[in-house]
Every structure is written in C-alpha cells, then in structure tokens.
Amino acid sequence: VRLVESGGGLVNAGGSLRLSCAASGFQGGRYNVGWFRLAPGREREAVSCINRSAGTTRYASSVKGRFTISISNNAVLLQMNNVTPEDTATYYCAAYYGVNCLLDYRQYAHWGQGTQVTVSS
C-alpha cells in the first residue's frame, strides 16, 4: 500500500487549496481514506475521511462547511476553502481496510509522508 500526498503550499487566508492523496496497492475497494493534520505544539487532528466503496464521509467540526473530501479515480481529494491561519499544518492522508470511515487515527494502518499547508494572515 502506498499513499502519496500532493498539493500543499502557501495560501492567503480566505483562499483555497486542494490536496490530493494518490492511493495504490489496495486489494479491492473496501477501504477508508482519512486526512489528518499536525501543527507544531498541537495534537494530531482528524480532518475528514471517506469510505472508498460507499462514498460516505465524515468531517471534523473545525472544517465542516469549508473542506470537502472526494474521490477522483485512485486519488482522494481534500478541497480546502475559506482557509484560516489555524489550518496551517502538515497534512497526512492515511488508510485502512474497513466498511466505515472513522475519525480516529488509531484505526489507520497506512500513512503518507505528508504535505505542508501554510495559511498567511
């Protein structure tokens, strides 16, 4: 299993950014992909997740209404709109086999290397 994030960068507050997680090596489609973020001095935070086969999604309250997770071919996208400096972090995608997607990092067995998102005020 391999997960590769891309799309991070520097964006102004109020702007938009789209992250992509290219997933490969999975057997079948019954797996979940989540986005997590880690900022200096803060705990790892779950952002969103999606079940690859059912398409069901979950969002953290801090991003609900601003971020959208979706699937495009073999990539899982995270569209980030109306970003704020509090969204600055390294964003990781992660995955695990299962039928329900959970916002709990302990469920995730496979992780990407992360992509940095910096929001300037």
Side-chain angles (χ1 to χ4, degrees):
V1 171
R2 188 166 182 240
L3 301 167
V4 180
E5 303 96 333
S6 62
L10 176 64
V11 60
N12 293 326
S16 297
L17 205 61
R18 188 175 73 175
L19 305 183
S20 178
C21 174
S24 60
F26 289 94
Q27 300 297 318
R30 288 197 173 190
Y31 61 92
N32 303 286
V33 177
W35 283 97
F36 296 81
R37 63 187 182 186
L38 184 62
R42 298 171 69 175
E43 294 187 357
R44 175 167 32 190
E45 180 185 14
V47 175
S48 182
C49 66
I50 188 167
N51 179 267
R52 184 65 177 84
S53 58
T56 52
T57 60
R58 293 181 191 269
Y59 294 92
S61 56
S62 58
V63 306
K64 208 166 190 178
R66 301 187 299 122
F67 292 10
T68 303
I69 193 169
S70 63
I71 296 170
S72 176
N73 296 321
N74 286 328
V76 174
L77 308 178
L78 185 69
Q79 178 67 40
M80 305 167 60
N81 296 330
N82 194 23
V83 295
T84 73
E86 286 68 41
D87 294 319
T88 295
T90 301
Y91 284 71
Y92 299 87
C93 72
Y96 70 99
Y97 287 102
V99 297
N100 292 311
C101 109
L102 299 174
L103 293 176
D104 180 354
Y105 74 90
R106 295 168 297 181
Q107 301 293 328
Y108 292 78
H110 310 284
W111 291 80
Q113 82 288 350
T115 186
Q116 178 66 38
V117 171
T118 303
V119 182
S120 63
S121 57

